[in-house]
Amino acid sequence: THTITLSDQITFTANEDETVLAAATRQNLNLPHSCKSGACGQCKAELMSGEFEMGDHIDKAISEEEKAQGKVLLCCTTAKSDLKINVPGFNQNALPVRTLPARIENIEIKHDVALLKLALPKAPPFAFYAGQYIDLLLPGNISRSYSIANSPDQDGV
Ligand code: FES
């Protein structure tokens, strides 16, 4: 187990057999990410110190120049020693990532846009910030990110 120091604010632990992103998520830290497979670049962070190994990813997600500057993709990086990393925009008061069941309440088609209303469990309430997005997880391991269009004050939908 190694200690990861995040943006000089907090620490968490990571095992050598899990990615830094997976370790952070396991400990309820909400770090920026999307694909979790080295394709989107959303989990890019600056490595300040420590030994690491970065696994498979696509070139588009992080350039050679960024790697030379010490940047890594946390979704495919494993710690080989204690690490100090800097995650731009990290907010330790961010809402935790949660997985919830949802029921389709309504689908409204307007021109080439579909407005999908999802009914969520009443408790615990689903809290989010304006402008946040969610990942819809569907059968067959299909996942896709969508923006939340309504304001956070509309309870349960
Ligand atoms: S989450 Fe997409 S590259 Fe890491």
Side-chain angles (χ1 to χ4, degrees):
T1 299
H2 301 293
T3 299
I4 314 296
T5 302
L6 181 58
S7 299
D8 279 331
Q9 294 179 46
I10 55 172
T11 60
F12 61 98
T13 57
N15 301 319
E16 287 202 358
D17 63 350
E18 68 182 342
T19 66
V20 175
L21 179 65
T25 303
R26 179 172 54 77
Q27 290 157 87
N28 296 320
L29 289 170
N30 184 3
L31 300 186
H33 70 279
S34 183
C35 70
K36 298 183 198 166
S37 61
C40 70
Q42 291 294 309
C43 64
K44 206 174 293 170
E46 282 176 89
L47 183 79
M48 310 312 283
S49 67
E51 302 295 315
F52 69 98
E53 197 170 288
M54 191 156 64
D56 290 343
H57 59 278
I58 65 169
D59 293 342
K60 183 178 93 175
I62 186 168
S63 68
E64 291 302 320
E65 187 182 344
E66 288 173 315
K67 287 183 201 172
Q69 293 168 351
K71 293 185 178 159
V72 295
L73 298 173
L74 296 180
C75 73
C76 38
T77 293
T78 51
K80 300 302 173 197
S81 73
D82 291 351
L83 300 179
K84 286 190 176 187
I85 57 174
N86 183 30
V87 175
F90 170 69
N91 174 3
Q92 86 179 87
N93 298 318
L95 297 166
V97 175
R98 296 169 51 208
T99 303
L100 301 170
R103 179 178 46 79
I104 294 174
E105 187 174 276
N106 187 31
I107 301 176
E108 190 178 331
I109 306 291
K110 289 186 177 179
H111 306 288
D112 59 349
V113 175
L115 179 63
L116 176 67
K117 288 188 178 177
L118 299 174
L120 298 165
K122 296 264 184 263
F126 175 61
F128 64 97
Y129 296 119
Q132 198 168 359
Y133 72 92
I134 59 171
D135 289 334
L136 289 186
L137 311 174
L138 302 171
N141 236 0
I142 298 169
S143 162
R144 179 130 186 227
S145 302
Y146 290 94
S147 298
I148 304 172
N150 59 303
S151 62
D153 58 355
Q154 294 172 331
D155 233 7
V157 179

